[in-house]
Amino acid sequence: MADDDHSTRGSYVKGKGEFARDTRYIEDRILDDPQAEWPVEPGRYRLVAARACPWAHRSIIVRRLLGLEEVISLGLAGPTHDARSWTFDLDPGGVDPVLGIPRLQDAYFARFPGYERGITVPAIVDVPSGKVVTNDFPQITHDLSSEWRRYHRPGAPDLWPQDLREEMEDVMQRIYTEVNNGVYRCGFAGSQDAYEKAYHRLFTALDWLEERLADRRYLMGASITEADVRLFTTLARFDAVYYSHFKTNRQQLRDFPHLWAYARDLYQTPGFGDTTDFVQIKQHYYIVQTDINPTQVVPLGPDLSGWLSPHGRESLGGAPFGEGTPPGPVRPGEEVPAEHRIG
């Protein structure tokens, strides 16, 4: 069983050396229905995430883009964890100040004693009871857009435009299987054959994305959607980690002209770069995944300053937030540490 950044017990290598992800999540939903088991209620829930984790990073970005900071609090686990659970070692005394627990595992066990699947982030916790509600990461961000709509900030983007929904679902599915999960399929391959098949699948998908982004500013056209959020978190980690650590080394992200410019465009957009912590990202992968990096040495490179260079994507037209507006400053206390930022 291979540990990964999404789950402490959530993935494994199959008989032929192929990586497979355990996708059995807690599927409860928080609904905009007062009669629901978990109704939308400002201040009741806490999003527990980790800046290091690409799956959790999605939820941090979406919460910020939609302006939900005042209605759903954010608890941040540190970049490393042990075999038991993500821990709140960034907080004073190593205890989450709202939930009063040292380990995310405690919220899982409060609802499911002896919970045997992965203690994953992101997770939403019911603050009054201290019980985990859901860790179904794709549903979490979808519901932030749909079920919490009454509490979106003025000017919030429509991340799930109805007229693009069918095509967007297809695009996101390919991104998930071939790119988001594809890098893990390379990194955790248990045989040469499995690795080579995963490698070719990944770069076939990246070549497709490079072509798709040649004449459109964002994946679905003129403005940002959920599809862009889902791709960005993998691209942000590609050169910093995946290229070397996961052996996805046909070429770096910066060697794809359109993908690299697209990634920089997003990084320089409020909600994306200001939630990205490259130091924690590198610490997590190189320290936690000891089956791949047994020395736990974290590399000093690569040079990441290029993320702030001009991208030129404005020439393709469109606007990141469509007819809306960008989010305001990062909420006090939720900033990425200055020493972990670029520029």
Side-chain angles (χ1 to χ4, degrees):
M1 184 180 300
D3 287 348
D4 74 273
D5 57 11
H6 183 45
S7 169
T8 56
R9 295 190 296 274
S11 306
Y12 57 94
V13 175
K14 296 194 294 187
K16 295 183 179 180
E18 298 173 352
F19 170 82
R21 184 177 300 281
D22 184 350
T23 56
R24 297 171 297 165
Y25 302 115
I26 303 168
E27 296 180 345
D28 288 28
R29 296 176 63 191
I30 299 170
L31 301 175
D32 191 11
D33 176 357
Q35 304 305 314
E37 179 181 5
W38 307 106
V40 165
E41 185 179 321
R44 176 172 175 176
Y45 303 100
R46 187 160 177 81
L47 172 65
V48 177
R51 296 193 193 279
C53 168
W55 317 98
H57 190 186
R58 292 181 182 186
S59 63
I60 298 172
I61 293 173
V62 170
R63 171 179 173 269
R64 173 148 162 67
L65 293 179
L66 299 178
L68 292 171
E69 294 97 329
E70 298 301 322
V71 296
I72 304 173
S73 67
L74 177 65
L76 290 171
T80 62
H81 59 69
D82 58 25
R84 290 170 57 197
S85 177
W86 292 88
T87 54
F88 296 104
D89 49 278
L90 301 177
D91 293 307
V95 173
D96 180 271
V98 172
L99 299 174
I101 56 177
R103 294 174 172 274
L104 180 56
Q105 180 187 61
D106 297 330
Y108 279 73
F109 284 1
R111 185 168 177 207
F112 303 107
Y115 186 79
E116 294 182 351
R117 300 202 294 274
I119 307 299
T120 66
V121 289
I124 295 185
V125 178
D126 177 49
V127 175
S129 67
K131 296 178 179 180
V132 66
V133 175
T134 179
N135 64 342
D136 188 349
F137 69 95
Q139 191 65 57
I140 286 173
T141 53
H142 181 275
D143 286 347
L144 291 179
S145 284
S146 58
E147 301 300 319
W148 291 84
R149 187 176 295 274
R150 287 190 290 133
Y151 299 98
H152 290 181
R153 65 178 176 84
D158 180 2
L159 298 178
W160 290 79
Q162 187 61 44
D163 60 327
L164 299 175
R165 185 71 56 88
E166 185 175 354
E167 181 187 4
M168 192 171 86
E169 293 277 11
D170 291 340
V171 169
M172 292 192 302
Q173 181 62 25
R174 187 171 182 184
I175 288 171
Y176 170 70
T177 59
E178 306 304 298
V179 181
N180 300 149
N181 206 40
V183 292
Y184 286 88
R185 197 180 292 113
C186 292
F188 286 108
S191 71
Q192 186 68 34
D193 182 62
Y195 164 70
E196 292 184 11
K197 288 178 179 177
Y199 176 97
H200 291 305
R201 279 183 64 177
L202 169 64
F203 282 98
T204 294
L206 290 175
D207 289 340
W208 162 68
L209 288 165
E210 172 74 3
E211 182 178 354
R212 183 178 181 89
L213 290 164
D215 59 0
R216 66 183 80 195
R217 187 166 179 184
Y218 302 104
L219 283 171
M220 303 310 302
S223 59
I224 290 167
T225 65
E226 171 91 9
D228 299 293
V229 176
R230 295 185 179 195
L231 178 58
F232 173 79
T233 58
T234 295
L235 297 183
R237 290 156 176 76
F238 199 89
D239 288 0
V241 175
Y242 301 148
Y243 178 85
S244 56
H245 186 62
F246 279 176
K247 310 179 188 71
T248 62
N249 58 359
R250 192 191 80 178
Q251 63 201 92
Q252 292 185 307
L253 173 63
R254 62 189 59 220
D255 297 322
F256 289 92
H258 302 306
L259 264 175
W260 174 224
Y262 161 82
R264 299 199 314 277
D265 189 2
L266 289 177
Y267 183 83
Q268 294 169 34
T269 299
F272 290 86
D274 56 25
T275 62
T276 302
D277 187 323
F278 286 113
V279 171
Q280 287 196 21
I281 287 168
K282 289 170 63 175
Q283 287 174 338
H284 172 75
Y285 285 91
Y286 285 103
I287 293 174
V288 171
Q289 295 170 352
T290 55
D291 46 349
I292 297 177
N293 186 41
T295 65
Q296 299 181 297
V297 172
V298 179
L300 294 177
D303 178 10
L304 298 172
S305 59
W307 280 95
L308 293 179
S309 63
H311 52 75
R313 299 284 290 179
E314 303 93 338
S315 64
L316 295 173
F321 300 101
E323 297 180 357
T325 58
V330 176
R331 191 170 188 262
E334 295 185 1
E335 305 94 341
V336 173
E339 64 272 21
H340 292 192
R341 296 198 299 263
I342 294 173

